[in-house]
Amino acid sequence: MLTPILYRPAVLFISIWAVFCSYVAHAVCDKREAGSSDRPRIGLVLGGGGARGAAHVGVLKVLEELKIPIDCIAGNSMGAIVGGLYASGLSPEDIGREMTAMDWDDVMDDRPPRPHRQFRRKRDDDNYLVKKQLGFGDGKVKFPLGAIQGQKFDRELSRLTAPAAGVRDFDKLPIPFRAVATDVETGKAVELSSGNLARAIRASMAVPGAFDAVEINGKLLVDGLVANNVPVDVARDMGADTVIVVNVGTPLLKRDQITDVFAVISQMTGILSDRNVEAQLRTLRNQDIYIQVDLGDISTTDFKRAGEAIAIGEKAARAAHDKLAVLSSEPSEYRQYAAAHSAPVQKPRVVSFVRIDKETRIGEDVLARPFQPLIGKPIDYQTLSYSIEELYGWDIFESVRYEIVRKTETRVCSCM
């Protein structure tokens, strides 16, 4: 039996307007700044690989131990997640702790907690074999663009990137950053350099078929793995003189492993990825450093093995110690770098008001009601999460997303 077809309108966007201090603008990793220091401008390139990308955290730990200053970061998929969080000011320890503590089974399940769900939807769990719901709009049945729409995953990304809330230009993050995605219409790589950081990261890791595609600036975007999985050229365009490249890609399947349609799709995606990765690696120069992380049987979906992947990444970086040590800076110079590229200490952000940014048949006062307890208080992410789940549990929207917006801005900067 199939789940009944429901009319589910588009995504509901919520703007949480808050007062908080501004980020200090940081210089982009630009060749124009090269004269300010004798050292080369160092770009970090973090490739995609799903759960295998947790290894990037281990590499970051070693880079910090060796006091290697990173001037810009370009990442794809999980490389965009780790790179984006690091660029926004989180430490490798913070990122690793979040990855290993996260309940990945729950995060990858779009359904709200059972107490928030309607009685009818609870009964669907008991009565229907296929749980995914179809939609109906504009006079036709609508299928989802991915198996996972990312309702909970998006919320976690918004929480983790909260230090960068309100920063629209990624060159003004503590470390300039680019996420890479693929334009579904053209097949070309798209560099995301501005907008909402969480949304850019989400687009970069939207594995075709697995995660819902993301629309940004009129383009429908998915994971950059089929267009530019290890974006060396992006880091160079940001002004990097030397690049440190970390590849965590999955080896192609052997003949006896290709046993079903899913394996065929995975293999074809892997072939496309390998081709663009090889093209990027051919551009490496003598001063560049390449780290290939051998993650064994850890698959792209083994998120529960994040701790293992982090340890393997650290080991791979230590194996490249002699090459990396050449890029180490003096302790005093590194302290100056760290001070200039760390996230500023911010005062608690107080919510001024909540705005619903999607026209619906339901009154804004009704939709905003679950968020009333937030107003006039410092942002409480647990309460915010509870309110989002309550509204999503009404089961009338594909997803409910939010963005924290500066009170002083004149434009609503909602997730798209």
Side-chain angles (χ1 to χ4, degrees):
M1 299 179 68
L2 295 175
T3 307
I5 295 176
L6 301 175
Y7 173 75
R8 293 168 68 82
V11 178
L12 181 69
F13 303 131
I14 313 257
S15 288
I16 310 294
W17 289 71
V19 179
F20 52 95
C21 67
S22 301
Y23 255 66
V24 176
H26 297 275
V28 64
C29 177
D30 197 306
K31 293 178 181 178
R32 291 171 297 180
E33 301 291 331
S36 63
S37 174
D38 292 333
R39 69 173 180 81
R41 311 297 291 177
I42 302 172
L44 179 62
V45 179
L46 303 179
R52 296 163 63 90
H56 292 314
V57 179
V59 174
L60 287 173
K61 289 182 178 181
V62 176
L63 297 182
E64 287 200 346
E65 286 180 13
L66 293 176
K67 296 180 174 55
I68 297 176
I70 301 300
D71 298 292
C72 51
I73 301 174
N76 175 62
S77 197
M78 185 60 87
I81 294 178
V82 175
L85 295 181
Y86 188 64
S88 69
L90 270 68
S91 69
E93 289 73 22
D94 290 335
I95 302 171
R97 184 165 49 251
E98 290 286 352
M99 283 192 170
T100 54
M102 190 170 293
D103 184 345
W104 290 99
D105 288 339
D106 180 63
V107 168
M108 297 299 181
D109 185 352
D110 288 324
R111 294 176 300 176
R114 195 170 176 84
H116 289 295
R117 302 167 66 195
Q118 296 178 333
F119 174 77
R120 187 174 180 179
R121 297 286 77 79
K122 294 177 183 179
R123 290 295 296 155
D124 286 345
D125 282 349
D126 301 326
N127 296 334
Y128 297 102
L129 177 63
V130 179
K131 309 301 182 183
K132 296 298 178 183
Q133 296 178 354
L134 305 180
F136 185 83
D138 301 325
K140 57 184 178 182
V141 174
K142 293 185 176 182
F143 291 85
L145 293 176
I148 302 172
Q149 292 186 336
Q151 168 65 26
K152 295 178 183 176
F153 193 80
D154 288 359
R155 192 180 68 236
E156 287 301 303
L157 280 179
S158 294
R159 177 181 66 83
L160 292 172
T161 56
V167 179
R168 309 297 297 178
D169 183 351
F170 298 167
D171 286 340
K172 294 182 179 179
L173 292 169
I175 301 175
F177 170 71
R178 298 288 186 274
V180 176
T182 301
D183 185 336
V184 174
E185 182 179 7
T186 66
K188 296 181 178 179
V190 176
E191 298 175 22
L192 299 171
S193 61
S194 62
N196 177 269
L197 179 60
R199 201 67 178 147
I201 292 173
R202 170 68 171 77
S204 182
M205 52 74 56
V207 179
F211 272 91
D212 201 14
V214 175
E215 185 174 351
I216 296 179
N217 297 330
K219 296 180 179 180
L220 195 61
L221 305 177
V222 294
D223 196 312
L225 84 165
V226 297
N228 196 356
N229 198 34
V230 181
V232 176
D233 58 339
V234 177
R236 293 209 197 282
D237 289 344
M238 296 175 75
D241 301 311
T242 298
V243 293
I244 300 172
V245 181
V246 186
N247 185 10
V248 296
T250 306
L252 294 177
L253 299 173
K254 301 298 182 182
R255 174 62 184 85
D256 60 353
Q257 296 175 301
I258 305 174
T259 57
D260 54 39
V261 63
F262 301 105
V264 171
I265 294 173
S266 176
Q267 185 77 340
M268 294 307 298
T269 302
I271 291 172
L272 291 173
S273 176
D274 279 3
R275 288 179 178 176
N276 67 66
V277 169
E278 289 172 2
Q280 290 292 316
L281 296 183
R282 283 196 294 269
T283 70
L284 295 183
R285 300 174 294 201
N286 291 335
Q287 69 267 33
D288 299 325
I289 298 173
Y290 176 62
I291 300 175
Q292 171 71 59
V293 185
D294 182 2
L295 288 146
D297 65 346
I298 297 179
S299 74
T300 58
T301 59
D302 282 336
F303 291 99
K304 293 181 179 179
R305 299 177 68 181
E308 293 179 53
I310 292 172
I312 294 173
E314 183 175 345
K315 181 179 179 181
R318 295 195 187 284
H321 176 277
D322 292 346
K323 293 181 180 179
L324 290 171
V326 175
L327 300 177
S328 296
S329 60
E330 294 295 328
S332 59
E333 183 181 6
Y334 189 76
R335 283 195 296 271
Q336 293 178 351
Y337 159 83
H341 293 78
S342 60
V345 177
Q346 298 181 343
K347 297 178 181 179
R349 301 158 183 170
V350 177
V351 177
S352 299
F353 60 91
V354 175
R355 176 173 295 171
I356 307 298
D357 302 323
K358 179 72 178 179
E359 293 184 4
T360 71
R361 300 172 184 173
I362 303 175
E364 180 173 338
D365 56 336
V366 175
L367 295 172
R369 191 173 299 155
F371 304 94
Q372 294 305 309
L374 296 168
I375 298 177
K377 302 175 184 177
I379 296 175
D380 180 341
Y381 286 95
Q382 184 173 358
T383 301
L384 176 56
S385 175
Y386 187 90
S387 301
I388 291 286
E389 291 295 354
E390 179 182 345
L391 188 54
Y392 183 64
W394 294 0
D395 206 34
I396 58 176
F397 296 104
E398 289 179 3
S399 61
V400 179
R401 299 178 182 135
Y402 76 91
E403 180 178 349
I404 300 172
V405 183
R406 294 180 189 276
K407 183 181 178 183
T408 56
E409 289 185 351
T410 59
R411 180 174 64 89
V412 177
C413 301
S414 305
C415 299
M416 296 183 179

